[in-house]
Amino acid sequence: IICILCISSCNSKSDLLNDLQCASERFLNLEKIEDVKKLFIVEFPDTWKTNLYYDKNQSSIYTADTTKQLTESMLLDITYVSKKITLDRNFTLKFKTNLKNQGLLEKTPRFLAFQNKKAYYSRAIGNKRGFDYQISNLFIKVNQNNYIHAKIEVYGDSLVDQRICSGLQLIEKIQY
């Protein structure tokens, strides 16, 4: 029984990845990257171009596989925000209005638990810079005064679901 539990836990995917029917992907040569304020750690392929940003209220790690064309890659932005967030109906209304103002249409919104934290996931579609465009947003309430906003941006129409799933698999490696 213990062996079965160990094997199944090694292959387990989050509810979000299961719901989106994501296939497991193995990334090679992952390196741990810590944000400037030492609030969280991510793991990204060491060949990707990564930038760090911080100010008084936030700390970000932004990355992309620059060896691929924009329409074959994804852009990942993970930001730790020092601000209270309430994931409720008012939050979703403001968020949907913001998406609409950007010309985006929200698809698959949902509240969920992410690493045992309250979270909100949203995927939106539209057009940006003349390309088909999709963005996945994941808001994770870390504690009473802080949250993480993880964002995956995908341009073009090739392997969109696969690229978003790959981004979510990397986001799931967040340590805070």
Side-chain angles (χ1 to χ4, degrees):
I1 292 174
I2 293 174
C3 289
I4 292 171
L5 289 174
C6 288
I7 291 170
S8 66
S9 68
C10 290
N11 294 325
S12 67
K13 295 187 288 186
S14 72
D15 289 343
L16 183 59
L17 289 175
N18 281 329
D19 289 352
L20 298 175
Q21 300 177 344
C22 292
S24 294
E25 182 173 335
R26 295 191 191 269
F27 288 94
L28 301 175
N29 303 321
L30 292 176
E31 71 174 323
K32 288 188 176 193
I33 303 165
E34 188 170 27
D35 73 300
V36 174
K37 293 184 174 185
K38 301 188 182 308
L39 298 169
F40 68 100
I41 298 171
V42 293
E43 291 182 43
F44 294 140
D46 62 2
T47 57
W48 289 15
K49 181 172 173 53
T50 301
N51 293 309
L52 304 176
Y53 171 82
Y54 75 99
D55 63 27
K56 184 177 107 179
N57 299 315
Q58 65 185 9
S59 184
S60 296
I61 300 174
Y62 178 84
T63 193
D65 183 356
T66 56
T67 64
K68 294 181 180 179
Q69 296 291 324
L70 179 63
T71 57
E72 296 172 358
S73 186
M74 68 180 137
L75 309 173
L76 269 169
D77 183 0
I78 301 175
T79 304
Y80 192 104
V81 183
S82 297
K83 183 178 178 183
K84 289 183 180 185
I85 189 172
T86 304
L87 298 174
D88 61 6
R89 189 176 186 312
N90 288 334
F91 170 82
T92 60
L93 289 174
K94 283 183 187 176
F95 183 70
K96 286 180 185 192
T97 300
N98 186 29
L99 289 175
K100 189 175 181 179
N101 290 340
Q102 296 176 52
L104 301 172
L105 176 64
E106 185 177 45
K107 301 281 188 181
T108 63
R110 67 181 282 205
F111 290 98
L112 64 137
F114 181 86
Q115 296 180 352
N116 298 316
K117 307 282 185 194
K118 189 173 181 179
Y120 178 76
Y121 174 77
S122 169
R123 186 166 168 178
I125 61 172
N127 196 286
K128 192 171 182 182
R129 299 182 192 154
F131 293 102
D132 289 337
Y133 174 76
Q134 291 199 31
I135 183 168
S136 289
N137 288 281
L138 179 64
F139 295 89
I140 309 157
K141 186 172 182 170
V142 176
N143 56 40
Q144 192 66 24
N145 298 313
N146 303 287
Y147 69 93
I148 288 179
H149 179 197
K151 183 170 48 173
I152 305 165
E153 295 179 274
V154 174
Y155 289 84
D157 58 5
S158 174
L159 303 171
V160 171
D161 291 340
Q162 181 182 344
R163 291 187 281 158
I164 287 175
C165 285
S166 296
L168 288 170
Q169 288 176 355
L170 290 170
I171 289 168
E172 286 199 332
K173 295 179 180 292
I174 293 174
Q175 300 168 26
Y176 40 85

